[in-house]
Amino acid sequence: MSDIVCDVAIVGYGPTGQMLALLLGEKGYRVAVFERWPNLYPRPRAVHYDNEIARIFQAAGIAEALSAVVEPGGDYEWRNAGGETLLSFDLAGQNVSGWPASTMFSQPQLEAILDGKVKALPTVTVFQGWAIEQVEQTQGAVRLQVRKHAVTSSGELVPGQEHLTARSRYVIGADGAKSFLLQHMRTSLTDLGFLFDWLVVDIIPNVQRAWNPLNVQVCDPARPTTVVSAGKGRRRWEFMRLPGESVEDLNRAEKVWQLLAPWDITPRNATLERHALYTFKARWADSWRDGRLLLAGDAAHLMPPFAGQGMGAGMRDAVNLAWKLDLVLSGRADERLLETYTSERLPHVQGFIYA
């Protein structure tokens, strides 16, 4: 395959990478996106965005398509072990921006909408199933070595024989918590040492019912639990792993149904869409730029999910970076403008992480 020449190469095709590709592609820039997995991730992850992210989606032209699969955040309560309400507020009302303060959604549906918009752009090429193996900065560009990968029957990625070289003016690492680009950048990490395992469970009820409240945090020392909407027709439970409880035991379907039983969720009335154990972390890169290499999304920061701002932070990264790159690539601003990317975005992210 011939070498790829582009203005911006994006590593990672989750929501952050998709949004950045969309914003730059709509400006007419040549964008190449490299994603090591051959298909969009099919399972739910993020389930919440706020009114500011809704405005970003509106500006990106996907708000109408999203309206069919999302629902307003509704009531949110914190309850103690006895079921008494400790704190309650309504997230369904419109914010001053004109959008609900909170919206619940299913990430695969969002990604499918973004994917369609991105792939319709003539200057954007998405390479799914291609993993970055080498990155080298030169004075005027970045050179990438990329190899085609395949998925085995057991779900493992294995390298193939096909490879290509890409040359780009800038490369953005939007490739998640285990970012390849982060590992090849000159930056330090700040880790607050927040390491807690939670079992995340996504359910599709066979018969829809009213949930009152729609979202609840159960502040029970015996088992802290989160129960929220995961978009229209879906529910999300998160259960904290207890001391002495093994990861293997907690992450079994039989254990999942046992934990769901008190909520009247059983195999007879619901479909188990996904269950996975996550280690919630609080970490960020101290600098998100190293010359022509930049970070965005989970590659730049990780936060506990309780404020529902992880994906939203990545969307904000994409918007901030897109307008700056537009000015730099078009020659209307010096590349020193990119130095303000970290100083503008990091304090905002830190605010959510410390919260």
Side-chain angles (χ1 to χ4, degrees):
M1 184 178 290
S2 302
D3 287 356
I4 304 297
V5 178
C6 58
D7 299 304
V8 177
I10 300 171
V11 185
Y13 194 55
T16 300
Q18 289 176 318
M19 180 59 71
L20 186 56
L22 175 59
L23 296 175
L24 291 171
E26 286 183 332
K27 293 288 187 180
Y29 293 109
R30 299 168 300 169
V31 179
V33 186
F34 299 100
E35 167 57 53
R36 62 196 181 108
W37 294 99
N39 300 300
L40 298 178
Y41 189 71
R43 302 296 180 88
R45 286 174 289 179
V47 294
H48 166 271
Y49 61 82
D50 63 24
N51 61 293
E52 291 182 354
I53 306 308
R55 291 188 66 190
I56 292 174
F57 291 155
Q58 179 186 28
I62 66 169
E64 184 175 351
L66 272 174
S67 64
V69 297
V70 303
E71 65 178 350
D75 293 336
Y76 204 168
E77 289 190 8
W78 272 253
R79 294 177 175 176
N80 63 16
E84 298 174 306
T85 300
L86 305 174
L87 175 67
S88 177
F89 49 90
D90 183 10
L91 295 174
Q94 285 192 347
N95 193 273
V96 66
S97 66
W99 292 96
S102 174
T103 298
M104 313 306 289
F105 75 105
S106 173
Q107 186 169 329
Q109 293 173 320
L110 168 64
E111 290 195 30
I113 293 169
L114 284 168
D115 179 59
K117 291 281 288 186
V118 170
K119 290 178 179 174
L121 295 169
T123 62
V124 179
T125 306
V126 180
F127 296 86
Q128 290 172 278
W130 289 83
I132 306 296
E133 293 192 330
Q134 294 182 29
V135 57
E136 178 187 3
Q137 287 200 69
T138 62
Q139 185 174 359
V142 182
R143 192 173 183 83
L144 300 173
Q145 295 290 338
V146 192
R147 184 177 296 273
K148 182 74 171 177
H149 279 59
V151 180
T152 66
S153 58
S154 61
E156 299 293 326
L157 275 178
V158 294
Q161 298 300 314
E162 193 175 0
H163 65 275
L164 60 83
T165 300
R167 185 176 182 275
S168 179
R169 292 177 65 181
Y170 292 94
V171 176
I172 316 303
D175 47 342
K178 298 180 180 179
S179 169
F180 175 91
L181 206 66
L182 173 61
Q183 298 172 31
H184 291 78
M185 288 176 58
R186 294 170 296 179
T187 183
S188 55
L189 293 174
T190 296
D191 194 322
L192 301 184
F194 184 92
L195 298 169
F196 289 95
D197 294 332
W198 284 68
L199 175 69
V200 178
V201 179
D202 288 284
I203 290 292
I204 302 177
N206 296 339
V207 178
Q208 296 303 311
R209 62 182 178 181
W211 292 89
N212 186 25
L214 185 66
N215 310 295
V216 60
Q217 294 279 354
V218 183
C219 306
D220 183 357
R223 173 83 74 179
T225 302
T226 301
V227 187
V228 296
S229 165
K232 283 184 179 177
R234 287 177 160 84
R235 298 293 294 172
R236 159 75 56 87
W237 275 261
E238 297 174 359
F239 303 97
M240 185 175 176
R241 183 169 72 90
L242 304 179
E245 193 170 39
S246 72
V247 170
E248 294 75 18
D249 180 63
L250 184 59
N251 196 26
R252 293 183 298 112
E254 296 84 356
K255 183 66 173 181
V256 169
W257 290 117
Q258 178 185 335
L259 292 169
L260 291 172
W263 302 88
D264 190 26
I265 297 293
T266 72
R268 295 185 301 277
N269 62 23
T271 299
L272 179 56
E273 188 174 21
R274 180 196 70 148
H275 62 93
L277 204 87
Y278 285 88
T279 301
F280 295 166
K281 299 180 180 180
R283 187 190 78 189
W284 61 79
D286 297 309
S287 175
W288 299 1
R289 182 193 178 204
D290 176 10
R292 295 181 176 274
L293 309 178
L294 300 108
L295 300 171
D298 285 356
H301 44 75
L302 296 172
M303 66 184 71
F306 305 112
Q309 290 294 330
M311 187 202 72
M315 294 294 103
R316 293 179 174 93
D317 297 343
V319 171
N320 189 288
L321 197 50
W323 72 259
K324 286 180 166 66
L325 283 170
D326 177 30
L327 291 177
V328 172
L329 290 168
S330 64
R332 289 174 290 163
D334 189 273
E335 67 175 14
R336 288 176 296 179
L337 175 64
L338 297 175
E339 288 298 321
T340 65
Y341 173 51
T342 302
S343 61
E344 289 181 0
R345 287 295 306 127
L346 182 53
H348 190 265
V349 167
Q350 288 171 325
F352 284 120
I353 293 176
Y354 282 120

